[in-house]
Amino acid sequence: VQLQASGGGLVQAGGSLRLSCAASGGTFTWYTVGWFRRAPGKEREFVASIMRSGATAYYADSVRGRFTISRDNAKNTVYLQMNSLKPEDTAVYYCSASLGQSRDEAQYDYWGQGTQVTVSS
């Protein structure tokens, strides 16, 4: 499956962005889809994931209550709605797909190219 992330940009602290991850070339409903991010000078970290049906989602503690992950299986797309953004949310955001249900990036086999999110203070 191929993944294309989009929707990043520059936003002021407290603002919102919605990221999209469009999938092609596979059976989308087979996959858990996750968002990860890599901030400058840091390792890539888990942000959120959503299971195949969309009924179950998981979040990192740092984003819970501010970010919402959702999926539209008819459009083969997963979204990450990011509200109340903070400067520490600045990172390259990657979407990824896994046949499992883990939050461990090692379990994700397919990755999009990343989209830059920059939050100014």
Side-chain angles (χ1 to χ4, degrees):
V1 64
Q2 291 80 47
L3 303 172
Q4 179 76 35
S6 62
L10 173 64
V11 63
Q12 288 188 331
S16 299
L17 282 174
R18 188 176 80 157
L19 305 184
S20 298
C21 176
S24 61
T27 303
F28 185 62
T29 52
W30 286 1
Y31 297 94
T32 293
V33 177
W35 286 97
F36 294 78
R37 66 186 182 186
R38 189 194 302 272
K42 295 186 177 180
E43 295 185 351
R44 189 159 56 188
E45 64 176 1
F46 170 81
V47 175
S49 62
I50 189 164
M51 301 301 109
R52 298 173 181 88
S53 68
T56 303
Y58 298 100
Y59 297 92
D61 290 343
S62 59
V63 307
R64 187 175 292 111
R66 301 188 296 121
F67 291 10
T68 303
I69 189 170
S70 61
R71 67 191 293 163
D72 185 337
N73 285 339
K75 295 183 178 180
N76 287 359
T77 302
V78 168
Y79 304 98
L80 185 68
Q81 178 66 44
M82 305 186 295
N83 298 329
S84 301
L85 282 161
K86 304 175 181 180
E88 51 263 43
D89 294 317
T90 295
V92 178
Y93 284 71
Y94 300 88
C95 64
S96 57
S98 171
L99 291 172
Q101 300 182 23
S102 175
R103 307 179 204 189
D104 180 358
E105 67 173 84
Q107 302 302 316
Y108 285 76
D109 299 310
Y110 305 97
W111 292 84
Q113 84 289 2
T115 185
Q116 176 71 46
V117 171
T118 302
V119 184
S120 62
S121 57

